[in-house]
Amino acid sequence: MYVAVKGGEQAIRNAHELLAKRRRGDRDQAELAVGQISQQLALAVARVMTEGSVYDPELAALAIKQSAGDLVEAIFLLRAYRTTLSRFYTSQPVDSAAMLVERRISATFKDLPGGQVLGSTFDYTHRLLDFKLLAEGDSEVAEPAAPAPRQTDDGTMPRVMALLEQEGLMVCESSQGTPPADITVDPPAYPCDRSARLQALVRGDEGFLLALAYSTQRGYGRNHPFAGEIRIGEVEVSILPEELGFEVVIGTLQLSECEMVNGFSRQADGEVRFTRGYGLAFGQQERKAMSMALVDRALQAPQYDEEIKAPAQQEEFVLSHCDNVEAAGFVSHLKLPHYVDFQSELELLRRIRSARADETMSGENDDEQ
Amino acid sequence: MSSNGVRDGYNFAYLDEQTKRMIRRALLKAVALPGYQVPFGGREMPMPYGWGTGGMQVTAAVIGRQDVLKVIDQGADDTTNAVSIRAFFRDLTGVRTTERTEEATLIQTRHRIPEKPLREDQILIYQVPIPEPLRFIEPSEVETRKMHALEDYGVMHIKLYEDIAHYGRIATAYAYPVLVNGRYVMDPSPIPKFDNPKMHRSPALQLFGAGREKRIYAVPPYTDVRSLDFEDYPFEVQRWEQCCAICGSRDSFLDEVIIDDRGSREFICSDTDYCRSRTEQAVDNPSGARPGTDEEAANAEGARNAC
């Protein structure tokens, strides 16, 4: 007699043991250390921290190790850990004008206060595989003679947008003074507030945002972008404990920030001004920050009375599909058993077909009569 | 493992008490508005979205130390995801688990309602992938919320009518839409329509959790749940020409199992507990004297031959 497959519990245990074995790989190779990942795969760590919504290079590196380099899985691990954390304080807004800049470029001005600082970048590298890296052992890495970024008199590097704002050429961004939304605590409701939108985009999948951003450049919601400024560096994070009454710096974050200058639009006061999009990510993640800025601008379409016709302009579409933990979960759930639903469809399909066969048969009989 | 049977370092049932309270408030609202989808601050769970995170959050919010938990997927207690969720709650609550429907106080389910009728002291918790019954007609949440508010359900009937025009019958076999308490059209989750009648005036409280979509809804005990249909095309459930190859049941939902490479098939109960208890009773009572049982059910082998 047929007996339905049993033993799920043991099978799951075996599968997980095999996973651990595969993750470790060939034991002739040294085990990968978390420190090596956070130091030598820093860009992967940055992505996991950004989309995982936790700034902790060690935990992100651990997640990457545990997930055998599957970054979406690593992001999920970090998110699942994040939900169990208590929140003690909300930090004060970070000030990216006071950033200790490692890299800062503007595609809109040849020179500007603080100057162009190339920093570390893949840009202008020739994408030729470097076979020297195949060699075992520590290869010599020259210490670059990086000139210290020119900073202005007050030690800060002013933002390009502020310069355009001063001249009245750029729409101003100002805080409404309302506490920012937190989509990890409150369910999203559409249309949503800009803070919720930006939060969703920061957590959003880099690949998805990149594709949407690209689509705006190809005419699906074109918004005439210029990379006004991209800056990467360390900013201080501070909290303001009520019982103390003054700010206390609790650490620093490495951030990538992108401000796009976008096509101008006539404003309520009758003046024509440039519009803007904003992108932010943990660590060095220019591609993510730029994509986010383009999509942020595309989503401002209603604000500028632009016709909403491209996917990147549709807030509900973009925000409800940009999260890769949600998306990967729901796509992968198709692997779960669907015996019952499929049986229902089978039964229905057979019934529709047999009804049709009956009709055809009775039709033939009618002809004979 | 701490003394109360909960994994060290974790709160009872994983979620912190404030989150559970938030979910319970959403549940109370859901019970007060049968069939209405209540948005809630769904949390990330340590299992993937789409794998029952909504049902798990509801279970975590209502489970107490006295509860006895049963978890099924496709009607079966031993499918891998049911095993995994059951192990999760055993690990994080220490409550007793069971496979027997009648012993359970909480039953978390994916895609089925148990065959045995439920009681007032039981809660059935459904895992829901897409809570919005209108979603595949209108993809925008902004629009569907308006349609629910205005009781604008004409499109749903048009969809069912178009099915009849194309296929000669309503071509929805699972997640068949229902009208709850004469007000809200509700997605019963992807249960086969075979199970829809069990929802109607059920003595058990029925709770629905959609984690990824962050919605909770409910059907309180003894609430009207009508499957949408037309007078001339009344709602009907699946039926099989075969009976269960193991217990001989003719009344339960049957899964088709392909048993050789020539495509020969057998049909077996999807509800493994129902099937097992019928087989046990048949063994205990081989004379077939159990009331209300087909005679062929008395002997499993006999049953196969009879079908």
Side-chain angles (χ1 to χ4, degrees):
Chain A
M1 182 210 290
Y2 177 86
V3 178
V5 180
K6 296 257 179 192
E9 217 149 336
Q10 186 60 41
I12 290 174
R13 237 188 332 267
N14 293 347
H16 292 171
E17 278 168 16
L18 188 57
L19 173 71
K21 187 166 175 250
R22 287 279 156 82
R23 185 187 57 70
R24 177 59 183 84
D26 185 347
R27 286 184 179 272
D28 289 344
Q29 298 289 334
E31 187 177 350
L32 194 55
V34 167
Q36 289 175 319
I37 296 171
S38 66
Q39 287 301 311
Q40 297 175 37
L41 297 177
L43 303 186
V45 168
R47 179 174 176 198
V48 171
M49 292 194 300
T50 302
E51 294 172 34
S53 283
V54 177
Y55 190 90
D56 189 321
E58 189 184 30
L59 289 181
L62 169 63
I64 291 169
K65 177 175 176 176
Q66 189 179 331
S67 64
D70 180 337
L71 297 191
V72 174
E73 180 68 24
I75 290 160
F76 179 22
L77 285 169
L78 201 55
R79 288 261 192 102
Y81 175 72
R82 181 188 192 274
T83 43
T84 65
L85 299 177
S86 306
R87 297 174 193 205
F88 300 112
Y89 288 100
T90 301
S91 77
Q92 297 297 104
V94 298
D95 179 8
S96 58
M99 179 184 278
L100 189 61
V101 169
E102 299 156 30
R103 170 168 163 79
R104 187 271 198 117
I105 55 165
S106 169
T108 51
F109 295 103
K110 188 167 184 180
D111 198 6
L112 65 167
Q116 307 258 14
V117 182
L118 219 43
S120 101
T121 176
F122 288 120
D123 297 348
Y124 317 112
T125 61
H126 298 148
R127 270 61 172 203
L128 303 170
L129 275 178
D130 180 0
F131 294 106
K132 286 202 295 290
L133 295 177
L134 267 179
E136 294 289 325
D138 217 357
S139 49
E140 285 291 307
V141 179
E143 193 62 40
R150 280 188 287 148
Q151 297 203 329
T152 48
D153 301 340
D154 61 353
T156 63
M157 199 176 265
R159 296 158 62 183
V160 169
M161 291 303 193
L163 304 173
L164 290 169
E165 280 174 24
Q166 274 170 20
E167 217 183 321
L169 295 175
M170 172 60 68
V171 294
C172 286
E173 299 278 22
S174 55
S175 168
Q176 279 103 45
T178 48
D182 186 351
I183 59 166
T184 66
V185 176
D186 300 311
Y190 303 107
C192 61
D193 130 297
R194 178 110 183 271
S195 64
R197 206 156 78 198
L198 290 172
Q199 188 188 14
L201 293 177
V202 171
R203 286 159 60 89
D205 182 76
E206 178 182 316
F208 180 77
L209 295 183
L210 174 66
L212 280 178
Y214 176 46
S215 74
T216 67
Q217 291 182 284
R218 290 195 65 262
Y220 289 85
R222 186 159 182 234
N223 55 34
H224 307 270
F226 295 94
E229 177 168 4
I230 294 164
R231 56 168 66 199
I232 298 174
E234 301 264 333
V235 295
E236 286 184 337
V237 184
S238 58
I239 56 169
L240 179 59
E242 273 177 31
E243 61 274 27
L244 291 182
F246 55 86
E247 286 186 19
V248 181
V249 174
I250 54 168
T252 60
L253 303 175
Q254 188 192 28
L255 294 181
S256 299
E257 186 185 51
C258 171
E259 294 202 89
M260 285 286 177
V261 178
N262 297 88
F264 46 76
S265 160
R266 192 169 294 282
Q267 303 301 297
D269 62 3
E271 287 292 347
V272 180
R273 292 192 182 87
F274 285 121
T275 59
R276 60 205 288 175
Y278 186 76
L280 187 74
F282 288 147
Q284 181 159 3
Q285 284 205 92
E286 276 171 57
R287 196 191 298 122
K288 169 67 181 273
M290 293 177 77
S291 303
M292 175 177 162
L294 288 171
V295 175
D296 172 48
R297 174 59 187 84
L299 292 176
Q300 293 169 35
Q303 197 176 321
Y304 299 119
D305 289 329
E306 293 162 349
E307 192 188 351
I308 297 175
K309 48 183 199 271
Q313 297 169 311
Q314 293 170 15
E315 181 182 75
E316 190 181 335
F317 174 78
V318 173
L319 300 189
S320 56
H321 299 113
C322 69
D323 190 293
N324 58 26
V325 177
E326 290 177 1
F330 201 46
V331 168
S332 72
H333 108 284
L334 293 173
K335 292 183 282 186
L336 288 179
H338 284 79
Y339 319 135
V340 166
D341 298 339
F342 189 67
Q343 184 60 46
S344 301
E345 294 271 280
L346 269 180
E347 193 265 358
L348 178 65
L349 186 60
R350 283 185 185 133
R351 214 193 290 195
I352 290 172
R353 287 168 61 100
S354 77
R356 198 175 150 76
D358 291 348
E359 272 170 33
T360 319
M361 200 119 62
S362 67
E364 279 165 8
N365 292 343
D366 290 347
D367 290 345
E368 283 166 19
Q369 280 166 2
Chain B
M1 191 71 76
S2 61
S3 58
N4 57 9
V6 181
R7 179 192 273 261
D8 279 330
Y10 287 88
N11 194 31
F12 179 78
Y14 184 74
L15 297 174
D16 61 275
E17 294 304 314
Q18 284 306 321
T19 300
K20 287 195 233 172
R21 220 164 275 159
M22 173 274 293
I23 295 171
R24 283 185 214 125
R25 279 197 290 268
L27 286 169
L28 288 174
K29 182 168 177 181
V31 168
L33 294 167
Y36 172 77
Q37 299 166 54
V38 182
F40 80 111
R43 298 293 192 259
E44 261 138 352
M45 296 296 280
M47 272 141 178
Y49 283 120
W51 293 54
T53 57
M56 287 168 74
Q57 288 180 77
V58 171
T59 299
V62 301
I63 197 167
R65 294 192 194 280
Q66 305 308 314
D67 276 310
V68 180
L69 178 69
K70 173 181 164 80
V71 183
I72 50 173
D73 184 344
Q74 314 294 302
D77 298 89
D78 57 1
T79 37
T80 43
N81 204 43
V83 168
S84 164
I85 292 173
R86 187 164 55 242
F88 176 82
F89 280 110
R90 212 165 27 216
D91 194 20
L92 286 149
T93 64
V95 305
R96 196 155 72 81
T97 60
T98 182
E99 294 193 1
R100 293 176 189 271
T101 301
E102 65 276 11
E103 283 179 9
T105 58
L106 295 179
I107 303 172
Q108 181 172 327
T109 179
R110 176 168 171 267
H111 296 193
R112 277 309 311 275
I113 298 175
E115 306 288 2
K116 282 179 198 156
L118 299 178
R119 304 180 309 258
E120 281 181 354
D121 60 346
Q122 294 178 307
I123 300 178
L124 185 59
I125 297 163
Y126 297 75
Q127 300 171 200
V128 182
I130 304 272
E132 178 50 70
L134 305 168
R135 180 58 69 240
F136 301 111
I137 302 169
E138 170 52 64
S140 163
E141 178 70 11
V142 174
E143 294 304 318
T144 51
R145 286 189 78 80
K146 260 186 235 163
M147 290 158 79
H148 283 294
L150 300 171
E151 246 180 297
D152 178 8
Y153 294 134
V155 286
M156 186 59 99
H157 281 101
I158 291 171
K159 195 260 166 200
L160 299 179
Y161 169 76
E162 284 177 348
D163 276 0
I164 294 169
H166 286 135
Y167 305 113
R169 65 189 64 241
I170 292 172
T172 300
Y174 60 91
Y176 190 104
V178 293
L179 183 68
V180 179
N181 202 30
R183 174 59 180 86
Y184 286 104
V185 167
M186 185 187 93
D187 182 311
S189 87
I191 57 171
K193 63 181 180 176
F194 178 89
D195 284 341
N196 277 21
K198 296 177 191 162
M199 306 180 80
H200 180 58
R201 304 195 67 78
S202 166
L205 171 62
Q206 301 174 78
L207 304 176
F208 299 77
R212 193 176 36 76
E213 301 278 341
K214 300 180 173 59
R215 295 288 185 273
I216 278 172
Y217 51 100
V219 175
Y222 303 110
T223 303
D224 280 357
V225 178
R226 304 275 179 202
S227 301
L228 301 183
D229 63 356
F230 298 102
E231 271 173 24
D232 48 346
Y233 283 88
F235 173 78
E236 52 180 10
V237 299
Q238 289 99 336
R239 44 175 202 273
W240 287 260
E241 282 160 18
Q242 300 81 356
C243 63
C244 172
I246 298 171
C247 76
S249 170
R250 293 188 169 279
D251 311 317
S252 67
F253 188 93
L254 301 179
D255 279 340
E256 187 169 332
V257 189
I258 299 175
I259 51 174
D260 61 29
D261 55 8
R262 293 185 313 280
S264 312
R265 331 176 229 284
E266 274 186 349
F267 289 79
I268 55 169
C269 288
S270 113
D271 184 335
T272 48
D273 173 60
Y274 174 80
C275 194
R276 184 188 43 77
S277 64
R278 277 175 56 89
T279 317
E280 279 172 7
Q281 278 173 358
V283 170
D284 292 348
N285 194 2
S287 65
R290 192 156 63 88
T293 310
D294 289 341
E295 218 162 67
E296 66 249 25
N299 181 300
E301 284 303 312
R304 273 187 73 198
N305 299 334
C307 290

